[in-house]
Amino acid sequence: MPATSNPAARFLFDPRFVLLAGSLIALVALGMRHSFGLFLDPIAGSLPDVDREAFGFAIALQNLMWGVAQPFAGMIADRFGSARVIFVGGMLYAGGLVCASAASTSLGLVLGFGVLVGVGLSATSYAVVLGAVGRRFPPERRTSALGIASLGGSLGIFLSVPVTLSLIDSLSWPTALVSLALVAAVICVLAPALSGRSVEPNADQTLKSALGEALSHRGFVLLVLGFFVCGFQLAFIGTHLPAYLLDRHLAPWLGGAALATIGATNIAGTFVCGVLGDILSKKKILVALYLARSGAVAVFVLLVPSDVSTLLFAAVMGFTWLGTVPLTTGIVAQIFGARYLATLVGIVFLMHQIGSFLGAWLGGLVFEHTGNYDIMWWSVVASGVLAAVIHLPINERSLADEGAVPGRVLRNA
């Protein structure tokens, strides 16, 4: 905490306030993103050259821009401070929503929803926010703090749908987007709270040496591969579960209820995983999460689907949904320290987004070629087992405990 006699400044840089601000930023940024699909029908119905394909491309580009820009946002945050990056990201996010609200063609929609919001997300979501929060807490409390910050994103996902639906129903869709842009501007107000220094300063280490250290470390590579699987699984299920239920002749309401159940149990799961991560081995909890996902999917696909089995499946999946975030981020911080946490987590999340892209896209491709989702469901099962297996060899010990020195690249054999 910066040395100061000013009570307001001491409060602003108190780790608890940093955690609160980071949670609220994640709530706004990730929550609003979850509701963008609700704009498909009103926008496609009012703009002459926007159909489902054009809207889908804008959202797909948003995911891609989010993933590609995230490591760079993390690097800039680690070099110049998270507060500056989050402030600029909030401006881009709000500007993208305003741009989309004023769009008269698909190009404006792609620029707003796709490019500006995508880059804005890279600066206001997990990598930069969790990097800032992780730097303000000591190792023994860090994973639970990361879990609480991630909980903000989970709560935002849960709240976003009813709020956005209410805005669209009571206002025109352009006005609803402008209203969301005003909410996004809150990110800029909260950004200064995430400007505190790390509790683990390591001024001697350079970004280049930190990257070399991580990319040479077998555990980091395995974490990256595991998070790729996480993105693949969640994007497929989140995108295609409602259609799968309709294919099995279940009621149309069930798809929305299943996604709402995932959002609700996700809140509890993220918090529990964060707390357990400060007590137990994080990699072992991740192994359990991936195996639980695979088991839940296998049972769900093998059973004759019903309302009850679907909601039970959604509850189990929701509990494991984002619990991987504080655990994976916590392992990165535990091994490499918090100095370049935003950069390293940005690389991990880039692979998550690539997995997300493939999960959503391959789900549709496989269905179009086979007429069902069977191959994808069993790919989710197999990939979850693989992710569990590759987490087992990860060495969670800190490089500092192993005698690492700043600037030296170590290999985890």
Side-chain angles (χ1 to χ4, degrees):
M1 183 188 304
T4 177
S5 59
N6 187 325
R10 286 202 304 271
F11 175 74
L12 181 64
F13 294 110
D14 186 289
R16 291 167 294 184
F17 184 70
V18 171
L19 178 57
L20 174 62
S23 300
L24 291 174
I25 290 170
L27 185 151
V28 172
L30 295 167
M32 287 196 298
R33 172 192 172 271
H34 188 70
S35 69
F36 289 158
L38 299 174
F39 288 93
L40 190 157
D41 282 341
I43 290 178
S46 59
L47 298 185
D49 71 332
V50 175
D51 55 14
R52 293 193 178 194
E53 180 181 358
F55 187 92
F57 176 76
I59 300 301
L61 182 61
Q62 177 191 113
N63 279 276
L64 190 60
M65 294 298 297
W66 180 11
V68 170
Q70 199 152 225
F72 299 100
M75 292 178 191
I76 297 170
D78 285 333
R79 176 66 179 84
F80 298 103
S82 298
R84 293 183 177 93
V85 173
I86 292 171
F87 182 88
V88 173
M91 295 293 290
L92 290 173
Y93 202 136
L97 293 175
V98 172
C99 179
S101 74
S104 58
T105 66
S106 60
L107 180 61
L109 199 65
V110 167
L111 176 62
F113 265 148
V115 178
L116 294 178
V117 173
V119 176
L121 273 166
S122 73
T124 58
S125 57
Y126 288 124
V128 177
V129 171
L130 294 186
V133 170
R135 284 192 291 270
R136 298 297 296 129
F137 284 84
E140 65 272 13
R141 296 169 54 201
R142 181 172 291 144
T143 307
S144 58
L146 293 172
I148 294 172
S150 302
L151 184 65
S154 301
L155 185 60
I157 291 171
F158 178 70
L159 295 175
S160 64
V161 172
V163 171
T164 303
L165 276 175
S166 176
L167 288 173
I168 294 174
D169 288 342
S170 59
L171 308 168
S172 63
W173 66 263
T175 308
L177 282 173
V178 172
S179 300
L180 292 181
L182 294 175
V183 175
V186 173
I187 294 173
C188 301
V189 177
L190 295 169
L194 277 73
S195 58
R197 293 181 178 180
S198 173
V199 296
E200 293 180 353
N202 188 0
D204 296 328
Q205 189 179 33
T206 65
L207 174 60
K208 181 179 179 180
S209 69
L211 288 172
E213 209 170 59
L215 297 176
S216 309
H217 194 285
R218 182 178 64 178
F220 184 78
V221 175
L222 295 177
L223 278 174
V224 167
L225 293 175
F227 224 44
F228 170 89
V229 171
C230 181
F232 175 82
Q233 292 177 322
L234 301 193
F236 167 69
I237 294 172
T239 303
H240 296 281
L241 178 60
Y244 171 78
L245 297 175
L246 290 175
D247 294 341
R248 302 305 297 267
H249 308 295
L250 294 170
W253 62 267
L254 188 58
L259 294 181
T261 301
I262 287 174
T265 55
N266 176 36
I267 297 172
T270 303
F271 177 74
V272 169
C273 288
V275 172
L276 290 179
D278 278 335
I279 304 171
L280 306 174
S281 165
K282 295 181 234 333
K283 74 171 184 180
K284 291 181 180 178
I285 303 173
L286 282 169
V287 168
L289 288 182
Y290 283 113
L291 289 178
R293 284 184 187 176
S294 292
V297 171
V299 171
F300 176 63
V301 174
L302 290 172
L303 289 176
V304 176
S306 67
D307 296 355
V308 173
S309 67
T310 297
L311 294 178
L312 287 175
F313 166 72
V316 174
M317 288 303 303
F319 195 83
T320 69
W321 201 253
L322 291 182
T324 56
V325 173
L327 295 170
T328 301
T329 306
I331 292 178
V332 174
Q334 183 170 308
I335 296 174
F336 304 102
R339 174 66 181 87
Y340 292 104
L341 184 58
T343 299
L344 300 182
V345 172
I347 294 172
V348 175
F349 269 89
L350 168 60
M351 292 305 296
H352 184 280
Q353 290 305 104
I354 294 174
S356 297
F357 176 81
L358 290 175
W361 175 61
L362 288 177
L365 184 68
V366 167
F367 181 83
E368 293 299 329
H369 282 79
T370 66
N372 58 62
Y373 289 111
D374 291 352
I375 292 175
M376 289 300 298
W377 282 119
W378 291 110
S379 295
V380 169
V381 173
S383 63
V385 173
L386 177 62
V389 170
I390 65 176
H391 277 81
L392 290 173
I394 294 175
N395 184 351
E396 296 180 89
R397 288 189 61 193
S398 167
L399 289 184
D401 293 340
E402 295 181 355
V405 294
R408 179 182 176 188
V409 177
L410 296 180
R411 293 185 180 273
N412 181 28

